[in-house]
Structure formats: C-alpha cells, structure tokens
C-alpha cells in the first residue's frame, strides 16, 4: 500500500485493499454515529436504565428509525465530495483543497435550509441532489455559524475561535484516506478544514490527529504505530499539548486492565474534542472487534455519537469493510450513497488520470464532480 501510494502505480490487489479501507472508514464512521445517536449526551445511568446493565448493545431508533445518522455523517460525506472535486479541479491549475472543502461544506449548509434537491444547480454535483441528506439532524451551532457566509475561516482568522467540540474531528476521517499525500500535508489540510467551523487549537489539532491516525491505518500501519507517528507530527504544532496529553492518556489506559465505562468517561473529561478523540482511540485499541469497540465508545455520559463515529472510522480503516457488523449495516441510513461515494473516492485516488487527465476524459465523471 505504501509503495503504491508513493508511486501512483496501483496493482489490482492494492486497489482492492484500499477500497475496502475507504469503505470501512466511511461506513464505520456512519455506523458509529448512528449507533450512538439515540443515547447522545445521556447520562450512563439513564442509558443503563433504558437498555440494561450493559448499556446499549444493539441499534435502537433515533430520529424515528434505526440506523439514522446525524449531521456529522452528512458533513463527512461532503468532505469526501470536496476532496474528489479538489482532485478534479487540479487539472485546471486552480488547486486549493481548503477552498474546495469550504465549497463542499457550503453545499451541505444549503441542505439544511433548502426544501430539497430540486433546488440544486447542475454544478452542485450528484451528492447535493441526494434527498435523504436534506434531513436536519441537530447540526452543531458552530458549523451553522462558521459556514454561514462565503468568507472561509483560516488559521490566521479561524471561525468560532472558542469552539472546542469534536465535530470537526469527526468529519476529518476522509482526509486520512489521502494515502498518496505526505502525513504533514494531511495534517495541514485537516487543520485548515477544521478552522472553517472550529477555531480553538484543541479542536482543530484533534481533527488533524484523527486524520493522521486514519492515514496511517489506510496505509497498512498498526493502530499503535499510526498513533505514535501522529504524536510525533503533532509535537511540532503550537498548542498541541492538550491533544498530545489526551492521546498519551488513552495509550496509558490500555495497560490498566479490562476496559470499563468509567475509564472511557475519565478519558472523555469535559467532552471537548481532545477528550472525545482520546476515548475513541482507547475504545479502538481495547475493543475485541468493531462491535465491542463501538459499544464501549457510546456507553458513557458524553458525546456518544461523536465518539462512536471516531472509533468506527478508526476500526473500519484498520480492518476494512468486512469487519463491520452486518446487522448494523443493513439498516444504516444512506448506505447505498456512502458506498457509491466511497468507491468514487477510491477510483479517483487510484485511477484519476484515466478519468480526467490530459490523455483521457470521462464526461460522466465530470458531470458527477464538476470543476466549477
């Protein structure tokens, strides 16, 4: 995988492995989000009172149905769309991925205010015409405010500089799937994407850390190895200490015996981005499988949907799509769309020149992902 990513020459087996990890990361994030949504921010005592001493162990309804996702998954999918569009636009010479992410997030914002996909323009692409994405699923205030005008947040002038929530970290998983990029560039893009809505250093560096870990996993590294590399790169960033400390705390907790909800709750701390990420990393490290890891990630007093999504993305990228619980996937909202987008992303990253390079052009691809 590492060789293929570095050289741009992909064998069939490498392409299949990469597609499985892309599918795993995106479906895993969505499954974790949907699993945690019904109990999001409920006290653990209330979760156990409603679902038994073990807490939530199987999917239950949220927003009127099982498998419903939150705004975090919607934004994650538009992140993927923005990354594909960035690659397509690279041919024009007008290449600035943070701008493409901002445009994609503004397309998501339109789904939160417009009546439906009939109002979309041709240049908005196919994802913006998916009707199910027009469901309003508790979009975070920081996202609505940060994307509320055409001015893009930057590191120098971030949007919502006090916003410390985990939402930007959740949507950063697709950035880690840019396996052909150097890790430092993945970190930079994740930070520049995060500050468009979450301007506090702990929030945007947690987003960068999550993208870096996914990047290592998508390249075939172990979870511990990917974490160590992420910590090394974070160390050069101003304001990294809270995120670094939280992740090191998660690594230390692994050696403290059997996993418990109390240990997850301790890692969550006050529920800001670095704590939620640390809890998700811990659950991914100690989980016996995806099902066990995600269950640990949602049964606590804090942000169950975000922690479930972060943990699901890590385990999906690590093990690939076949490791995800089939019974959870069958009812996942938007699964056909997620699979279609995942496969498009994998195709763009491995075969992009054949789709829109100087020697070939696929009109259907450019209709799906317009350069405009």
């Amino acid at each position: 995988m590492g060789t293929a990513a570095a050289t741009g020459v992909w064998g069939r087996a490498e392409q299949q492995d990469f597609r499985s990890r892309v599918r795993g990361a995106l479906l895993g994030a969505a499954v974790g989000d949907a699993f945690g949504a019904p109990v999001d921010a409920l006290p653990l005592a209330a979760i156990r009172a409603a679902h038994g001493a073990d807490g939530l162990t199987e999917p239950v309804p949220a927003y009127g149905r099982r498998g419903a996702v939150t705004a975090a998954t919607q934004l994650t999918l538009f992140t993927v769309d923005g990354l594909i569009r960035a690659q397509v636009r690279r041919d024009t010479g007008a290449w600035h991925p943070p701008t493409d992410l901002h445009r994609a997030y503004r397309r998501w914002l339109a789904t939160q205010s417009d009546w439906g996909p009939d109002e979309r323009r041709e240049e908005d692409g196919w994802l913006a015409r998916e009707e199910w994405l027009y469901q309003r699923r508790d979009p975070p205030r920081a996202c609505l405010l940060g994307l509320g005008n055409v001015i893009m947040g930057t590191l120098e002038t971030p949007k919502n500089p006090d916003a410390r929530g985990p939402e930007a970290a959740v949507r950063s998983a697709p950035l880690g799937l840019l396996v052909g990029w150097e890790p430092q560039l993945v970190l930079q893009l994740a930070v520049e994407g995060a500050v468009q809505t979450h301007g506090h250093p702990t929030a945007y560096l947690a987003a960068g850390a999550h993208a870096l870990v996914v990047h290592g996993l998508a390249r075939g590294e172990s979870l511990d190895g990917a974490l160590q590399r992420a910590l090394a790169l974070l160390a050069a960033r101003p304001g990294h200490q809270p995120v670094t400390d939280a992740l090191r705390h998660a690594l230390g907790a692994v050696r403290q015996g059997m996993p418990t909800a109390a240990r997850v709750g301790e890692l969550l701390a006050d529920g800001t981005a670095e704590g939620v990420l640390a809890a998700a990393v811990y659950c991914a490290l100690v989980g016996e499988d995806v099902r066990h890891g995600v269950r640990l990630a949602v049964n606590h007093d804090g942000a169950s949907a975000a922690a479930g999504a972060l943990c699901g993305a890590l385990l999906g990228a690590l093990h690939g799509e076949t490791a995800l619980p089939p019974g959870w996937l069958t009812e996942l909202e938007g699964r056909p769309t997620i699979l279609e987008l995942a496969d498009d992303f994998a195709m763009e990253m491995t075969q992009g020149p054949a789709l829109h390079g100087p020697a070939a052009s696929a009109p259907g691809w450019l209709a799906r992902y317009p350069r405009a």
Side-chain angles (χ1 to χ4, degrees):
M1 173 68 70
T3 302
T7 64
V9 179
W10 296 76
R12 182 172 297 178
E14 290 169 321
Q15 288 186 43
Q16 290 174 343
D17 178 75
F18 178 58
R19 186 177 70 169
S20 178
R21 293 179 191 273
V22 172
R23 284 182 162 199
L26 298 184
L27 287 170
V31 160
D33 180 38
F35 190 74
V39 296
D40 198 44
L42 285 180
L44 180 60
I47 296 174
R48 288 174 169 168
H51 303 288
D54 294 329
L56 186 64
T57 59
E58 292 298 328
V60 298
Y63 306 107
R65 56 157 292 173
R66 273 197 295 269
V69 299
T70 74
T73 292
Q74 296 173 345
L75 275 161
T76 299
L77 299 184
F78 277 93
T79 300
V80 179
D81 180 64
L83 292 177
I84 297 174
R85 298 273 284 264
Q87 292 294 108
V88 171
R89 279 168 52 81
R90 191 172 191 169
D91 298 340
T92 69
W95 195 59
H96 188 246
T99 297
D100 289 297
L101 286 178
H102 186 249
R103 290 172 173 173
Y105 295 151
R106 292 272 296 166
R107 290 193 291 274
W108 166 80
L109 185 67
T111 69
Q112 303 299 288
S113 57
D114 290 346
W115 288 104
D118 292 344
E119 300 178 52
R120 299 274 60 81
R121 303 164 300 169
E122 186 174 327
E123 56 265 34
D124 288 330
W126 76 277
L127 187 66
R129 293 193 287 273
E130 289 289 290
E131 189 169 354
W132 70 276
L133 288 170
Y134 285 73
Q135 299 290 329
R136 193 176 172 102
R137 297 289 172 71
D138 297 320
R141 186 169 182 269
C143 293
L144 297 176
L145 290 177
L147 302 169
N149 58 48
V150 297
I151 300 172
M152 184 176 74
T154 65
L155 265 172
E156 292 72 27
T157 56
K159 295 293 185 76
N160 303 314
D162 296 325
R164 299 179 62 192
E167 297 84 12
V170 173
R171 70 172 187 256
S172 72
L175 305 173
L177 300 173
L178 295 168
V179 295
W181 288 36
E182 289 301 314
Q184 296 91 334
L185 295 178
V186 170
L187 172 58
Q188 182 64 24
L189 181 56
V191 165
E192 292 189 48
V195 297
Q196 298 179 19
T197 60
H198 289 70
H200 195 281
T202 56
Y204 63 70
L205 290 176
H210 185 55
L212 282 173
V213 177
V214 171
H215 189 248
L217 298 176
R219 285 182 158 196
E221 296 179 13
S222 68
L223 180 51
D224 185 72
L227 278 164
Q228 295 298 341
R229 186 163 58 86
L231 286 167
L233 289 169
L234 280 175
R237 291 279 175 159
H240 74 91
Q241 204 64 53
V243 180
T244 296
D245 290 346
L247 291 175
R248 293 198 182 282
H249 191 189
L251 286 167
V254 174
R255 299 187 292 271
Q256 294 175 5
M258 293 291 291
T260 64
R263 197 161 290 126
V264 175
E266 180 192 359
L267 290 166
L268 279 163
D270 60 358
T272 52
E274 74 278 18
V276 179
L277 176 61
V281 164
Y282 168 78
C283 294
L285 284 166
V286 301
E288 298 169 4
D289 54 22
V290 177
R291 189 189 306 268
H292 182 223
V294 171
R295 283 174 176 169
L296 284 171
V298 305
N299 283 292
H300 48 71
D301 294 329
S304 296
L310 290 165
C311 180
L314 295 174
L315 291 172
L318 176 63
H319 298 299
E321 63 171 319
T322 57
L324 302 174
W328 294 9
L329 286 173
T330 55
E331 295 185 290
L332 178 64
E333 183 180 30
R335 181 164 65 105
T337 303
I338 298 170
L339 282 169
E340 189 173 358
L341 192 62
D343 289 352
D344 280 2
F345 180 90
M347 196 182 328
E348 173 62 40
M349 296 304 146
T350 60
Q351 301 177 68
L355 296 168
H356 52 82
S361 181
W365 193 256
L366 298 180
R368 290 172 69 75
Y369 302 102
R371 290 190 173 113

